[in-house]
Amino acid sequence: MIIVLFDGKAYLCTLFVYKMRKYTLFISILCCSLFSSCGEYNKVLKSSDYEYKYEAAKSYFGKGQYTKSATILEELITILKGTDNAEESLYMLAMSYYNQGDYITASHYFSGYYTTYPRGIYTELARFHSGKALFLDTPEARLDQSSTYKAIQELQLFMEYHPESNRKTEAQLMIFNLQDKLVLKDYLSAKLYYDLGTYNGNASMTADGQINGNNFLACITTAQNALKDYPYTSMREEISILLLRAKYKLGTESVEEKKEERMREAIDEYYAFKNEFPESKYIKEVENIYKDASKYVKELNENN
C-alpha cells in the first residue's frame, strides 16, 4: 500500500500497485518467451544438421508457425531430394504457403508435388489445394480473368484425375463460382458497350472514310457469346434483356438501308425473350420495344 498526494488529498494505491506488478510480471514472462523462441529459431537456421532442421520445420508447421516452417523447408527441399522425407517436405512447404495466404506460391509447389509424385501419398490433396489456391486468388470480375481460367482448368483436372474424391462436390461448386465471375465479366463488358452507345471515340476509320466499329454491335456480340458459352448462368435474363435493348438501339441508330433488317432482328429477339421469360420484370419495357419496332416495319411496308 502506498499513499499518493493529489490536490492536497491523500489516496491509497494498493490495487494500482498490485495490477502494475501483475502486468510487469506478465510482460517479463512474455518477453522471455519471445527471446527464447527467437533464439531457438536462429539456432535452427544456423544448424547444419538437416535432420534436426526437418524435425524443427515439422514442429513449427504443427504449431501453425508457417512462416518459420516455410523458411526452413525452402532450404531443405533441394537437399532432401531422393530421401524418405523429400515427398512430405515438398507437400508441407506448399501447405505452409497456403496457410499463410500466399496462394500463387502455394499452387506452384502443389503442382510441383503432383508432377514429381503422380502416385504420391498427398497427390489428391495437392491437386485439390492447387486448384483451390488459384480459386482463392482470383480477382474481382472487372479485372483481367486470366487466373480465373487457370483456376477452372486446375479444378477440372483434379476432378478428372480423382472422380471418386469426397472433395469433388466442393471443386464443382468452385468451378460454378468461377464461371459466374466470367459471366459477370462478359455482362459488364457488354453493358459498357451499350452505355457507350453512339460514342465513336473507341472506333477507327476505314480507308473510304466510314466508321469501323459500333458499340451496339460489340454489345450484341459479347452478350451472345456469353449466352452461348454459359447457357445455364443465373444471369441469363439480365444478359438477354441487354441483348434485346442493344438490337433495338442498333436498329434505331442505323442508316435507312439497314434499319428495317435490324428492326426485324429486334422483333425476333423480342419473341425469343418473351418465350424464355414470360413473367419477366422487364416485360413492360420488352412490349414497348416490340410495339415501336413493329410500328416502324409496318409503316415502311405501307409506304412501299
Side-chain angles (χ1 to χ4, degrees), residues 181-194:
K181 187 175 290 189
L182 293 177
V183 173
L184 180 57
K185 172 72 172 178
D186 285 347
Y187 171 77
L188 292 173
S189 296
K191 191 173 186 305
L192 176 60
Y193 283 126
Y194 181 84

Side-chain angles (χ1 to χ4, degrees), residues 20-36:
M20 285 300 295
R21 287 176 178 171
K22 181 180 178 182
Y23 292 141
T24 302
L25 179 62
F26 172 76
I27 293 171
S28 298
I29 294 172
L30 179 62
C31 288
C32 289
S33 177
L34 287 173
F35 284 127
S36 174

